[in-house]
Every structure is written in structure tokens, then in C-alpha cells.
Amino acid sequence: GFNLVLPLGISYFIIRLIDTLMRWYRKEYVDISLREFLCFVLFPGTLIAGPIETIDQFYKKRIVRIGKDDIAFMLYRLCIGLFKKVVIAEYLLLGVLKSKGFQIMAVAPDMVSGQEILFNMACALAYAYVDFSAYSDMAIGISRGLGYRIRENFHFPMFAVNIRDYWKRWHISLSDWCMRNIYFPLMLKTRNSYLPLYATMLAVGLWHALTPSWVCWALHHATGLCALTYAQSKIKLSPRMLFWLTPVRILATMLFVMAGFCFVWFSNFDIALSLYLRFIRALLPF
């Protein structure tokens, strides 16, 4: 089953509280009324699935008077979001995810080929992106109609050239929040580039769910980020070479992300791990 559907509204509510308390602890942005505080943590436009705003940016980008352009923007983003959700995600992609081949993967992964796993996980990743970004589109549109400019949450992650670039494009607001509040403080304390990556990705994984699958998902991404950091410190490629390798780098990044989605989509850890290993094996030339 799809293990991503959780009480995300609670998660986003808690992360707003944590961010605000941390700012108060640092003596930042303390001159705020109770009404403004409650408006921020309970703001309906982004409560269910983000994007995540900080309290200072939330009020900095507040619209004094809602105009025609704001209403037009709201309607535009709502239409885009609804089209992506209803037509692309639910009508086109969900049909693949409800197909017989995908259902067999969920109960008997040994009965499907490596190529079928690759195809189905590509569809799973596409569905997750379209579905989640559709909610972000609608949240950004609704927020504009309520008088607030909310940050973008996705920037074409399917064009990421490496796993670090992917996290700068996917769920941008959560990535930035974790980098600012987990990665950089730990890096300054430990003077280590690798341990903070594992701590950050574990925090992201466990924020979604306290399950072995999400722990493995976090370890998968953290290991990828560490491997990229190490490779870039040892191998220097010219900008020209990097440009010509762009299609290969994009493909490698998407395959890496798709492999990790085995742990996202299947709540049964044994099945998820089996699919993950078979996914990796299908990519190997031997």
C-alpha cells in the first residue's frame, strides 16, 4: 500500500511550532502578538501539506490589499493544481498503480521482472511528484487569495543532475528547513560533512513515519549524498564535460530516487527491501 498518507497536517503544525520556538529561543522575531502567532501556526492554506514557511517570511510577504492580479493568480494555480491532481495523477497515473502488475509487486515481488519493477517505480515517482506538487499549487493559490505569498515547493525535480540538486528541487521548503536547523548546526559542531547528512535525512524520514522502511529510505538518500560529496572532492570535471554528461546525470539521479521509492510505496518492509534489492540488481550489467 501507499505508506505516504499520514496525518501530515499534524506534522506541518508541529514543525511550525518548533521553528517558532527555536526563533524565540535565539531571541529572533519575539515581537509578535498571540493572534499573529496563532494565525501562522494554524494558517489553513498550507496546514495540510505545506509548503513550510518561517514566521518572519510569512509576515514579510503578507499582502496589504488583495487585488485582481492576486485573485487571477489564485484561480490559475488552483486550476493547474486540480488538473494535475484529477487528470494526470488520479486518471492517468493511478490507473497504472492499480494495475495487476503493480498489485503483484505488493504481494509477490519475486514474480515480476526487474524491468517491470523499474517501470512501476517510475510511475510511482511520477504519481508522487504530480500529486504532491498539485497540492502545493493549490496551497500557494489559496494562500494568495487569503493575502499571503507562499514560497514555491517544487522546481522540476525530474531535471536534477545529481541527488543534491534533486533536494534543491523537491519539497524545497522542507529541505531548506532541515538544512538550516539540522545540517548546518551539526556540521559546525562536528566539523564533519557526512554525519550531519545522515542525521538530516533520518530526521526527514522519521518525520514522515516511524517505520523501518522510512529509515532505509533515509539511509539510501544520505548514502547517496555522502557518495556524491566524496566523489566531487576527488574527481574534478570541466564545465564542458559536465554539460555533455547532463542526460546521463539526470537519468542516474532519477534511477537513484526511484530505487528509494520502493521504501515509500510499500508498508511491508520485507517486500520493500526485496523490491529495492531487485531494482538495484536490474541496473547492474552483470
Side-chain angles (χ1 to χ4, degrees):
F2 184 36
N3 194 35
L4 188 62
V5 180
L6 292 167
L8 289 178
I10 296 176
S11 301
Y12 285 96
F13 172 77
I14 290 174
I15 206 169
R16 292 183 196 184
L17 285 177
I18 292 174
D19 187 78
T20 306
L21 290 173
M22 290 176 66
R23 287 175 180 274
W24 287 347
Y25 176 76
R26 299 168 185 157
K27 308 299 183 183
E28 299 173 0
Y29 211 83
V30 294
D31 186 17
I32 183 173
S33 67
L34 178 61
R35 185 184 68 175
E36 289 175 318
F37 169 71
L38 292 176
C39 178
F40 169 67
V41 297
L42 298 174
F43 183 65
T46 59
L47 184 61
I48 303 301
I52 298 168
E53 282 286 357
T54 59
I55 192 168
D56 58 329
Q57 290 298 314
F58 180 73
Y59 284 109
K60 182 179 179 180
K61 296 183 289 186
R62 180 167 49 182
I63 301 169
V64 176
R65 176 177 293 180
I66 300 172
K68 293 181 180 179
D69 290 343
D70 299 308
I71 299 299
F73 179 87
M74 176 190 71
L75 295 175
Y76 168 73
R77 293 303 289 263
L78 282 174
C79 289
I80 292 293
L82 286 170
F83 178 80
K84 288 164 68 174
K85 171 65 178 174
V86 176
V87 178
I88 302 178
E90 300 297 325
Y91 181 72
L92 296 177
L93 294 171
L94 195 60
V96 177
L97 301 181
K98 288 183 176 180
S99 65
K100 183 179 179 180
F102 199 88
Q103 297 305 315
I104 292 175
M105 284 175 55
V107 294
D110 294 336
M111 294 182 63
V112 292
S113 67
Q115 288 71 27
E116 289 176 306
I117 296 173
L118 290 173
F119 171 76
N120 283 310
M121 295 319 300
C123 292
L125 174 59
Y127 176 85
Y129 165 66
V130 175
D131 185 69
F132 195 4
S133 65
Y135 279 113
S136 292
D137 286 327
M138 290 186 280
I140 292 168
I142 291 171
S143 298
R144 180 67 70 88
L146 294 174
Y148 292 86
R149 293 185 176 91
I150 300 299
R151 66 179 304 177
E152 296 293 335
N153 213 20
F154 291 89
H155 183 62
F156 302 106
M158 71 289 294
F159 295 128
V161 294
N162 57 52
I163 190 61
R164 186 185 299 116
D165 187 33
Y166 170 82
W167 279 110
K168 291 179 180 178
R169 297 167 175 265
W170 177 282
H171 207 339
I172 301 169
S173 60
L174 178 62
S175 300
D176 287 352
W177 191 91
C178 289
M179 290 293 287
R180 185 173 61 253
N181 294 289
I182 302 175
Y183 177 78
F184 286 120
L186 284 176
M187 188 177 67
L188 290 174
K189 286 186 177 181
T190 63
R191 302 294 179 181
N192 186 291
S193 300
Y194 301 111
L195 291 178
L197 286 173
Y198 278 98
T200 302
M201 294 313 304
L202 281 170
V204 174
L206 296 177
W207 178 74
H208 284 87
L210 299 173
T211 65
S213 289
W214 276 105
V215 170
C216 286
W217 173 89
L219 295 176
H220 170 78
H221 276 270
T223 302
L225 288 165
C226 289
L228 175 66
T229 301
Y230 179 80
Q232 289 182 334
S233 68
K234 299 296 182 181
I235 304 173
K236 303 297 182 182
L237 297 177
S238 67
R240 184 181 181 86
M241 179 63 71
L242 290 173
F243 173 78
W244 287 110
L245 289 175
T246 296
V248 176
R249 297 164 70 203
I250 291 174
L251 177 61
T253 302
M254 287 299 98
L255 288 172
F256 181 86
V257 174
M258 285 159 51
F261 256 77
C262 294
F263 296 113
V264 174
W265 276 90
F266 299 96
S267 56
N268 186 303
F269 176 70
D270 292 333
I271 289 176
L273 182 60
S274 176
L275 288 170
Y276 175 78
L277 294 174
R278 297 195 65 208
F279 187 103
I280 299 298
R281 198 176 301 124
L283 299 176
L284 298 177
F286 48 85

